[in-house]
Amino acid sequence: QVQLVESGGGLVQAGGSLRLSCAASGRTFGTYAMSWFRQAPGKEREFVSGITWTSGSTYYADSVKGRFTISRDNAKNTLYLQMNSLKPEDTAVYYCTMGRIATMRRADGMDYWGEGTLVTVSS
């Protein structure tokens, strides 16, 4: 069983930066991935970025590529999302997730979810 707790959300102006953190606790089995998803008001939850825990292979949605960087600290069991050059359209609740590598880009494919942290980007 895994518990995930996000932090680092807040209000920033367009062009600014935020760093989200996700602290993971509990037991994991075998190889797995961690991903960030986000959900804006009136929109479906969408994949933002993911990383395989052992190899560190990273993946990004086209909308954030070049602006966001995902990373992890294995010793601290912590996932990060560095968000730069933020845009108003990045405004959403951001969720930390953990699940199988094969489904790490699908919201319905991830097994564990945090409660989310709100990111608001003003113009």
Side-chain angles (χ1 to χ4, degrees):
Q1 294 184 323
V2 175
Q3 290 181 313
L4 305 172
V5 180
E6 304 98 332
S7 62
L11 174 64
V12 297
Q13 292 185 329
S17 298
L18 281 175
R19 190 191 194 196
L20 305 184
S21 298
C22 173
S25 61
R27 187 175 180 180
T28 60
F29 299 92
T31 58
Y32 63 95
M34 295 189 71
S35 297
W36 291 97
F37 290 80
R38 67 186 182 187
Q39 187 167 27
K43 295 187 179 296
E44 294 186 1
R45 199 163 293 182
E46 66 174 350
F47 172 80
V48 178
S49 183
I51 187 168
T52 59
W53 204 254
T54 301
S55 69
S57 299
T58 59
Y59 305 89
Y60 297 93
D62 289 341
S63 59
V64 307
K65 196 171 298 181
R67 299 187 298 121
F68 291 9
T69 303
I70 191 170
S71 62
R72 90 290 201 211
D73 188 325
N74 300 61
K76 295 181 179 180
N77 291 325
T78 301
L79 178 73
Y80 303 97
L81 184 67
Q82 179 66 47
M83 306 186 296
N84 299 326
S85 302
L86 283 162
K87 305 174 181 179
E89 48 263 48
D90 294 318
T91 296
V93 176
Y94 284 71
Y95 298 90
C96 173
T97 71
M98 180 183 292
R100 297 172 61 243
I101 294 174
T103 55
M104 64 184 294
R105 297 174 65 93
R106 292 171 50 190
D108 62 0
M110 302 304 281
D111 300 312
Y112 301 96
W113 290 72
E115 293 186 356
T117 185
L118 177 63
V119 172
T120 303
V121 184
S122 62
S123 60

